[in-house]
Amino acid sequence: MSSSAPDGSTAVAPAARAADKAPAKSLPQRAMEKLGLRRDIDLALHLPLRYEDETKLTPIAEARPGDTVQVEGVVREAKVELRPRRQFIVHLAESLEVGASAAPGRRRAELVLRFVNFYPSHQKTLAAGARVRVRGELRGGFFGPEMVHPTFKAVDAATPLAASLTPVYPASAQLPQAYLRKAVASGLSRAPLDELLPARIAPTGLPSLRDALHFLHHPPPSASLAALEDHSHPAWQRLKFEELLAQQIAQLQAQRERRKLRAPALWASIGGLHERLLAVLPFQLTGAQRRVAEEIAADLGREQPMHRLLQGDVGSGKTVVAALAATVAIDAGWQCALMAPTEILAEQHFRKLVQWLDPLLAERGQGIAWLTGSRKGKERRRMVERVASGEAALVVGTHAVIQDDVHFAKLGLAIVDEQHRFGVAQRLELRRKLAGDPDGANGQDGPDGPNGRPGTLEPHLLMMSATPIPRTLAMTYFADLDVSTLDELPPGRSPVVTKVFADNRREDVIARIRDEVEGQARQVYWVCPLVEESENLDLQNATETHQHLSAALPGRMVGLIHGRMPAAEKAAVMSLFSSGDMAVLVATTVIEVGVDVPNASLMVIEHAERFGLSQLHQLRGRVGRGAVASVCVLLYTGPLSQTGKARLKAMVETTDGFEIARRDLEIRGPGEFMGSRQSGDALLRFADLAEDAPLLQRARAAAPELLDKHPAAARAHVSRWLGGKMEYLKA
Ligand code: ADP
Ligand code: MG
C-alpha cells in the first residue's frame, strides 16, 4: 500500500496502450476505459481532483491534530494487538535528521500508526528499525498522536522529497490511484499537445494547453492550492475555455448539418382529423396549450425537420399537445410514432389516444399500432405489418418502436415523451432510425410529392419533458433545439401540500391513509426506493410495507408493483388501481412518470432522502391531478446529509417545476442534471455554465470563426476534446 513516486517513472500505461494487441485486459485497464480513458490525450485531460503535498516533511512534534502531514521516522516497535480488536500498531520515532524541534535531552517525538486492515506486506515494510515516510491525518489518540491507515513507503536517508504536488485523480474501486498516476503521467508525456488555436482565438493572458496541463498535473510546491482547487487558476481557465470551445464547435456543426436536412411539410386538412380531435376533446385547451400547439404546427409546415423540445411541468397537459401534432401529420398523409420510456407510460398514452383518436381513425380505415417489448410473436408481427403498410397511422410504444424489424411506410413525425429518461444509446438509436431507414422503407416523398424534389426526407422530431431545462443549459447543450414551454396548468388543480416526517412517524401516516381511504374513498400511493446495489433488500422492504399496509387496512385492496414483475402482471395491477378497485398501491419507482389517476390524493414517499429532487417532483406529480386537495408525505430516515436536507426543503417550499429544476441544478451541478452520471458521459467535465459564463461567451464567439476560417484546426480541436463522445452530441 505504499504511495507511488510522484514522478511516476515506471511506465504502466504502455501496457494499457498495447491493449489492442494483448487480448486480456487487466481490471484497472477496463476501469480506465469505463472512465473514458482510452487515448493518451484522454489521460492527459484527466485532471486531478486535488493534490497531496509530499514536497515537505513536518516534524512530528509540530503537527496538530486534524492536519494532514507527511512525516519521516524509524519504526521503534511494531506489533499485532488483539484487543479491543485485531490491529497492527506501529510506534514511529522521529528520525534524528529531521525534527529540529526535538530538543536535546528530551524524548524524541513519537507517533502511533494504527491499521485495522493490514496484510503481511504492511508488517514487512513497517518492521522495527525500518525507515519510512508516512502521510495521513494526525489525530490525538489515547497514547498521544496517531494516524489511522496512513500511506507509507520505505525510504533511506537519501530518498528525495517530491518536487511537485502529488495529484489525486478521479479514480474508482478497480483503479488504484498509484496505477492511474503512472498512466496519466505517461499519457501526458506522449499526448500530442501542439497549439491548435490560431493566435486570434487562443485566449490572451492564459497559458498554452501544453503548459496548462503540465502545470495542473504536477504543480510546483509554490502553487496556490486555493486557486487550483476552486479552478480559478489561469491554467484551469485555459482548459475550461478549450472544453467549451470544443462543445460549441460540435454544436454548431450539428446545427449546420441538420439545417441541410429536409422533411415533409405537414399541414392539417380542412375538416380533417385535427379539427375533429379538437371538437371531441372533453375540455378547453389552456392558453399555453394553444400557443405551443401553434408553434409545433408552424414547424411541421416547414420543409426542415422540426427539432423541438416541449417542456411542461407534470400535469400541464403535454399529451393532448402531442395528439394534436400527431393529427397534423396524419392529416397530411404521414405516420406518427409516439414513444415513452416505460410500458406503463406507453399504455397510458395508448388508452387516452385510443379513446380520442381510434373512432376518428377508424372512419378513415386507419388505426393505431402498439409496440412494446412484451408484445411478441404473432401479435407483434401483425403490428409490424400494419406499420409497414401504413394502415397504422399512429404507432405507440416503448423503444420497441425503433427496433430493426420495424419499417414505417411513411414516418412524418416522431414524438418522444420523457425523452431524458431514454438512455443515451436509445436516443442515438432513435436518431439513426430517424436519419433514414437503410432499406429506404421510410423517408421517401409523399404521394403528392410534398416538395416536388427527389431524395429522402427526415421525419420531424418532438421531444417532451417534465424536467424543464434551464435556459443556459438549453443554449449550450442543444444549440439547435427549439423549446416550447407549457407554463400554465389546466384549471381546477389544487396544489399539493408537502410534509416531511421522520420515519418514526410511520404509524401516524398510516392512520392518515386509513382516513383517506375509508373516510373519503380516495386512493393512495406508497413509494419505496429501489436502488440497484441493494435491490434485494429494497424489494424485501417494499414487500414488507405491502404486508404491513394490507394488515392495517382490512377489507381494502392493497397492491404491490415493482420493476421485476412481468409486464402483464404490472399492467394488471395498474388497471386495478386506475379503475379505483385498489385503494393503496405500494410501488417502487415504476410509477414515476406519467401515471394518471385523478382520484389519488395522498402519496407517501419512503426513504425520501434517497431520491433525487427531480425524481421526487415527478413522483409528487402523480397526486393533485384532480380537483381534490392532495398531500405528499416525505418520510426520511436520518441523519440527513446537507444535500438531502436541501432537497426535502425544496420540495416543501415549492411545487413549481421550474424552481425545482433551478434548485436541482444548484444542488447537483449541470453534469448530473443531464443524467450523465458516469464521468465518461458528461459533456462538460471542467467548465461550469453558471460560473464560467464569460468563458462561455468567448467560446460562443470563437466557434464560428474557427469553424469557417480554420476548419482543419476546428476538427482537430473537437476530436482532441470530445473524441469518442462526438456521438452523444447528436443524441
Ligand atoms: P403531462 O404534461 O404531465 O403529460 P397529461 O397530458 O397527462 O400531463 O395531462 C394531465 C391531465 O390533465 C390529464 O388527465 C389530461 O387529460 C388533463 N388535461 C390536459 N389538458 C387539459 C385542459 N386543458 N383542461 C383540463 N384538463 C386537461
Ligand atoms: Mg406525460
Side-chain angles (χ1 to χ4, degrees):
M1 242 242 313
S2 73
S3 66
S4 70
D7 60 0
S9 42
T10 351
V12 173
R17 208 188 186 191
D20 34 348
K21 282 177 222 147
K25 286 182 189 155
S26 71
L27 215 56
Q29 281 165 356
R30 284 203 302 269
M32 288 215 300
E33 285 195 2
K34 232 172 157 179
L35 285 176
L37 304 177
R38 294 184 185 86
R39 310 167 300 168
D40 288 333
I41 185 72
D42 299 330
L43 284 161
L45 293 175
H46 194 61
L47 290 176
L49 284 174
R50 55 187 177 84
Y51 301 89
E52 286 174 356
D53 190 350
E54 296 179 338
T55 63
K56 44 181 182 284
L57 290 174
T58 305
I60 291 175
E62 281 176 19
R64 298 277 149 265
D67 288 353
T68 297
V69 290
Q70 178 170 247
V71 302
E72 192 171 304
V74 174
V75 176
R76 184 172 63 73
E77 186 188 358
K79 56 176 187 284
V80 174
E81 284 180 1
L82 295 173
R83 251 164 262 252
R85 57 184 286 199
R86 191 165 179 271
Q87 49 187 312
F88 182 46
I89 303 288
V90 176
H91 292 266
L92 188 74
E94 185 101 71
S95 40
L96 290 172
E97 293 78 2
V98 279
S101 64
R106 269 179 48 199
R107 213 172 145 240
R108 272 187 292 153
E110 275 204 7
L111 176 66
V112 170
L113 312 181
R114 189 182 296 278
F115 297 89
V116 179
N117 302 310
F118 59 96
Y119 302 96
S121 60
H122 284 66
Q123 287 161 276
K124 205 169 144 213
T125 308
L126 295 167
R131 186 188 184 95
V132 285
R133 211 167 271 170
V134 176
R135 190 174 186 286
E137 188 189 322
L138 199 83
R139 298 194 196 164
F142 190 66
F143 298 107
E146 67 170 44
M147 284 182 186
V148 180
H149 289 175
T151 58
F152 58 88
K153 66 177 167 191
V155 291
D156 58 43
T159 308
L161 284 166
S164 57
L165 300 178
T166 307
V168 178
Y169 294 106
S172 62
Q174 289 77 36
L175 188 56
Q177 195 60 236
Y179 181 98
L180 188 55
R181 270 185 201 139
K182 288 178 187 167
V184 169
S186 53
L188 179 64
S189 69
R190 280 191 309 259
L193 294 173
D194 338 314
E195 182 63 80
L196 292 174
L197 306 183
R200 268 180 54 78
I201 285 172
T204 47
L206 299 181
S208 70
L209 178 66
R210 180 189 302 277
D211 290 348
L213 284 177
H214 280 276
F215 180 87
L216 291 176
H217 284 292
H218 305 293
S222 61
S224 151
L225 268 180
L228 284 176
E229 286 179 2
D230 74 7
H231 294 190
S232 63
H233 192 281
W236 269 115
Q237 297 283 312
R238 171 72 198 225
L239 278 161
K240 295 200 255 192
F241 173 78
E242 292 238 337
E243 176 177 53
L244 288 165
L245 181 62
Q247 197 261 346
Q248 291 296 312
I249 295 170
Q251 284 295 356
L252 198 58
Q253 274 174 321
Q255 181 178 347
R256 288 180 180 180
E257 268 169 37
R258 196 158 356 240
R259 294 244 163 101
K260 286 190 228 146
L261 301 173
R262 288 179 313 108
L266 308 175
W267 292 97
S269 49
I270 294 171
L273 201 58
H274 186 72
E275 285 181 11
R276 311 256 336 249
L277 174 61
L278 281 172
V280 301
L281 279 181
F283 46 72
Q284 290 269 308
L285 293 181
T286 63
Q289 282 171 323
R290 214 167 297 135
R291 175 173 46 79
V292 302
E294 271 163 27
E295 285 165 3
I296 292 166
D299 280 0
L300 293 175
R302 296 202 182 97
E303 288 181 11
Q304 251 168 24
M306 169 170 72
H307 191 230
R308 185 173 286 273
L309 175 71
L310 169 58
Q311 55 181 28
D313 209 347
V314 274
S316 60
K318 293 184 289 296
T319 317
V320 66
V321 176
L324 287 168
T327 55
V328 174
I330 297 168
D331 268 348
W334 292 73
Q335 287 167 297
C336 172
L338 176 57
M339 276 160 282
T342 66
E343 294 211 2
I344 288 183
L345 191 52
E347 164 118 27
Q348 289 271 328
H349 283 302
F350 187 57
R351 269 199 279 117
K352 208 153 266 181
L353 292 168
V354 167
Q355 199 182 315
W356 288 336
L357 291 176
D358 213 24
L360 304 180
L361 282 171
E363 290 171 21
R364 308 155 53 114
Q366 288 183 306
I368 302 174
W370 170 243
L371 286 170
T372 67
S374 66
R375 306 215 164 188
K376 297 209 172 79
K378 217 164 112 197
E379 193 188 7
R380 178 176 169 88
R381 274 200 301 281
R382 221 188 59 231
M383 292 290 179
V384 169
E385 271 164 30
R386 292 175 62 208
V387 176
S389 72
E391 189 263 322
L394 183 64
V395 184
V396 186
T398 58
H399 64 273
V401 168
I402 49 168
Q403 300 299 294
D404 279 345
D405 64 334
V406 183
H407 302 288
F408 287 84
K410 284 179 68 190
L411 181 61
L413 169 64
I415 304 176
V416 184
D417 196 11
E418 304 294 347
Q419 70 96 25
H420 63 289
R421 307 222 142 244
F422 281 92
V424 169
Q426 284 165 0
R427 263 141 70 181
L428 285 173
E429 182 62 39
L430 173 70
R431 278 231 56 79
R432 254 190 299 272
K433 191 84 182 173
L434 297 189
D437 211 317
D439 305 359
N442 180 45
Q444 276 145 24
D445 276 359
D448 310 316
N451 48 35
R453 279 175 291 174
T456 55
L457 296 176
E458 289 248 337
H460 297 276
L461 177 61
L462 176 65
M463 292 161 276
M464 305 200 289
S465 172
T467 307
I469 295 177
R471 215 183 111 69
T472 42
L473 275 187
M475 274 170 39
T476 316
Y477 282 93
F478 308 105
D480 60 340
L481 184 76
D482 296 305
V483 178
S484 289
T485 303
L486 282 175
D487 51 7
E488 184 185 346
L489 292 180
R493 301 273 166 84
S494 48
V496 181
V497 174
T498 301
K499 296 183 174 165
V500 177
F501 291 124
D503 191 57
N504 57 19
R505 299 277 306 276
R506 206 174 245 264
E507 290 309 316
D508 298 344
V509 173
I510 291 174
R512 174 70 191 257
I513 292 179
R514 197 174 296 123
D515 185 50
E516 212 64 24
V517 167
E518 290 175 0
Q520 331 258 339
R522 302 271 181 243
Q523 289 166 276
V524 177
Y525 293 104
W526 184 295
V527 182
C528 304
L530 190 61
V531 187
E532 249 170 75
E533 302 92 71
S534 56
E535 202 174 333
N536 284 321
L537 215 76
D538 285 331
L539 211 50
Q540 188 189 337
N541 171 38
T543 316
E544 276 166 17
T545 302
H546 173 240
Q547 282 164 0
H548 187 72
L549 288 172
S550 304
L553 298 164
R556 301 286 157 171
M557 197 193 297
V558 179
L560 173 65
I561 188 167
H562 60 78
R564 287 216 194 146
M565 282 162 54
E569 213 172 302
K570 275 193 243 179
V573 172
M574 275 323 291
S575 88
L576 281 170
F577 192 67
S578 301
S579 65
D581 294 322
M582 183 181 286
V584 180
L585 178 62
V586 178
T588 58
T589 47
V590 283
I591 59 155
E592 194 173 331
V593 277
V595 177
D596 191 28
V597 181
N599 190 45
S601 59
L602 174 60
M603 165 163 297
V604 181
I605 304 177
E606 190 174 310
H607 280 298
E609 77 281 358
R610 291 214 224 148
F611 291 90
L613 187 50
S614 70
Q615 228 183 345
L616 287 172
H617 179 66
Q618 295 265 349
L619 283 167
R620 178 172 60 183
R622 299 308 110 215
V623 290
R625 296 176 86 80
V628 207
S630 300
V631 174
C632 174
V633 172
L634 304 176
L635 281 179
Y636 71 90
T637 309
L640 286 176
S641 65
Q642 280 303 326
T643 54
K645 246 180 236 162
R647 285 197 296 260
L648 299 188
K649 186 161 177 279
M651 284 294 290
V652 172
E653 287 175 356
T654 181
T655 52
D656 175 353
F658 284 82
E659 176 62 17
I660 292 274
R662 199 189 59 73
R663 297 219 196 170
D664 202 22
L665 193 61
E666 215 172 78
I667 297 171
R668 297 199 295 169
E672 276 210 55
F673 187 86
M674 297 308 292
S676 46
R677 281 202 187 107
Q678 289 151 293
S679 59
D681 292 358
L683 292 179
L684 285 180
R685 288 179 286 163
F686 306 131
D688 177 304
L689 294 176
E691 226 164 77
D692 300 315
L695 285 175
L696 176 61
Q697 286 308 329
R698 269 156 98 171
R700 276 177 90 81
E705 181 172 344
L706 193 63
L707 196 54
D708 293 336
K709 302 217 178 103
H710 312 273
R715 267 196 307 278
H717 181 79
V718 170
S719 139
R720 171 181 279 178
W721 272 91
L722 298 172
K725 290 178 203 116
M726 287 294 286
E727 281 290 293
Y728 289 135
L729 290 166
K730 297 179 192 144

